[in-house]
C-alpha cells in the first residue's frame, strides 16, 4: 500500500514538473538515515512532501521538520503527509526558510530548496545542527551543468551554476565540516560537523 502511494507521488511530481529527489538520491539518503540512527531531521524545501515522507518512513521514531514557502505545495504536502498518517511526525512550516528561526537541534539537515541560497541556508541553520551531525545538500550537479557549464547558454542558468560551484567550494573549504561529494541522483553531498 505504502509503496503504491509513493509511486503515485512520484508520478504526480513528474507530471507537474515538481523536482522531487531522484530515486538513487533518496535511496542513498534514507540508507544514510537508517545506518546512522538519525532521529531528528530538518528539511529546507518540502515541495509536496515526498522526501520528508520517505525519511519519516525509515523508522517510527523519526521526526521531521520541513519548510516550504509556496502555499500550493505546502497544502499538497499537508494532504500527502496526512494520507500517510505521518502528521504527528512531520511538521511543515509555511515560510521562506530564511525567515524561520528554530531553537531545536537536529541530527541531520537536508538542504533542497533555492540553489542560489545554499550558503545562506547552511550558515543560518548551522547552529541547529548537533556536533557530529550532518548537512546533506541536493542538486550539486544541476543536470550535469556544474561539470560542464557550456551545456547551457541561458544566462540565468549559468549564474545559478556558478552559485552552486561557489557553494561546493564553500563546503570543501569549511574548516568545521568534512564534506564528501556523491555522484548520484542530481549530485548529493554529505557534510559532517566536526
Ligand atoms: N525535498 C523535496 C523537493 C524540494 S523542491 C523532495 O525531494 O521531495 C524545492 C522546494 O523548495 C520547492 O517546492 C520550493 O518552493 C522550495 N523553496 C525554494 N526556496 C525556498 C526557501 N527560501 N524557503 C522555503 N522553501 C523554498
Ligand atoms: Mg533536489
Amino acid at each position: 500500500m505504502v509503496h503504491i502511494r509513493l509511486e503515485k507521488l512520484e508520478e504526480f511530481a513528474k507530471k507537474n514538473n515538481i523536482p522531487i529527489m531522484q530515486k538513487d538520491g533518496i535511496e542513498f539518503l534514507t540508507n544514510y538515515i537508517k545506518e546512522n540512527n538519525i532521529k531528528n531531521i530538518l528539511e529546507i524545501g518540502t515541495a509536496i512532501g515526498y522526501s520528508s515522507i520517505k525519511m519519516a518512513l525509515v523508522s517510527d521514531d523519526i521526526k521531521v521538520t520541513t519548510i516550504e514557502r509556496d502555499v500550493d505545495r505546502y497544502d499538497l504536502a499537508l494532504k500527502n503527509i496526512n494520507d500517510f498518517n505521518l502528521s504527528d511526525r512531520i511538521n511543515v512550516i509555511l515560510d521562506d526558510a530564511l525567515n524561520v528561526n528554530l531553537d531545536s537541534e537536529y541530527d541531520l539537515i537536508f538542504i533542497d530548496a533555492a540553489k542560489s541560497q545554499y550558503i545562506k541556508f547552511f550558515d543560518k541553520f548551522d547552529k541547529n545542527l548537533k556536533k557530529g551531525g550532518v548537512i546533506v545538500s541536493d542538486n550539486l550537479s544541476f543536470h550535469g551543468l556544474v561539470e560542464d557549464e557550456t551545456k547551457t547558454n541561458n544566462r540565468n542558468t549559468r549564474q545559478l551554476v556558478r552559485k552552486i560551484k561557489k557553494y561546493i567550494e564553500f563546503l570543501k573549504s569549511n574548516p568545521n565540516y568534512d564534506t564528501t561529494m556523491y555522484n548520484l541522483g542530481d549530485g548529493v553531498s554529505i557534510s559532517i560537523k566536526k
Side-chain angles (χ1 to χ4, degrees):
M1 261 309 269
V2 167
H3 194 73
I4 295 165
R5 274 182 283 156
L6 281 168
E7 276 177 5
K8 285 246 160 70
L9 286 191
E10 288 160 9
E11 274 166 33
F12 180 89
K14 200 170 183 185
K15 244 185 228 155
N16 295 280
N17 279 319
I18 297 164
I20 63 168
M21 247 206 154
Q22 293 181 14
K23 271 253 162 78
D24 52 345
I26 191 70
E27 239 34 76
F28 174 78
L29 178 57
T30 50
N31 278 333
Y32 187 92
I33 289 168
K34 200 182 290 171
E35 277 160 20
N36 293 279
N37 212 24
I38 304 286
K39 297 300 171 200
N40 287 305
I41 300 170
L42 172 64
E43 175 182 68
I44 321 291
T46 317
I48 59 171
Y50 175 74
S51 53
S52 54
I53 289 168
K54 286 283 279 186
M55 294 191 287
L57 287 175
V58 169
S59 163
D60 285 347
D61 52 0
I62 290 176
K63 287 215 157 72
V64 182
T65 295
T66 180
I67 309 171
E68 174 57 54
R69 68 178 172 191
D70 180 280
V71 66
D72 294 330
R73 289 187 178 179
Y74 166 83
D75 285 341
L76 281 168
L78 287 187
K79 185 193 162 291
N80 291 330
I81 289 163
N82 190 47
D83 284 350
F84 280 82
N85 284 318
L86 290 170
S87 303
D88 54 338
R89 293 201 286 119
I90 304 177
N91 173 30
V92 192
I93 298 170
L94 173 63
D95 207 338
D96 189 307
L98 294 174
N99 296 330
V100 176
N101 294 305
L102 300 167
D103 303 321
S104 310
E105 281 208 326
Y106 299 89
D107 308 317
L108 183 146
I109 299 177
F110 176 40
I111 302 180
D112 191 21
K115 313 308 159 206
S116 57
Q117 295 177 314
Y118 271 24
I119 294 181
K120 283 186 186 157
F121 297 139
F122 192 107
D123 281 338
K124 181 175 173 87
F125 294 106
D126 168 54
K127 69 166 182 14
N128 297 100
L129 186 69
K130 281 205 314 218
K131 205 175 158 196
V134 58
I135 295 189
V136 180
S137 312
D138 190 33
N139 304 104
L140 299 187
S141 167
F142 208 62
H143 321 297
L145 290 171
V146 172
E147 290 78 13
D148 184 3
E149 219 181 283
T150 63
K151 282 186 193 159
T152 179
N153 287 319
N154 183 293
R155 271 191 73 206
N156 292 335
T157 309
R158 280 204 176 182
Q159 223 157 48
L160 210 53
V161 168
R162 288 194 187 130
K163 288 230 164 149
I164 296 171
K165 284 184 179 168
K166 260 199 182 155
Y167 179 65
I168 294 169
E169 281 318 304
F170 163 86
L171 290 179
K172 287 183 174 164
S173 62
N174 193 324
N176 304 321
Y177 284 82
D178 278 325
T179 292
T180 312
M181 309 283 303
Y182 294 89
N183 191 9
L184 45 83
D186 192 30
V188 180
S189 68
I190 298 271
S191 307
I192 298 171
K193 194 176 193 171
K194 292 180 193 166

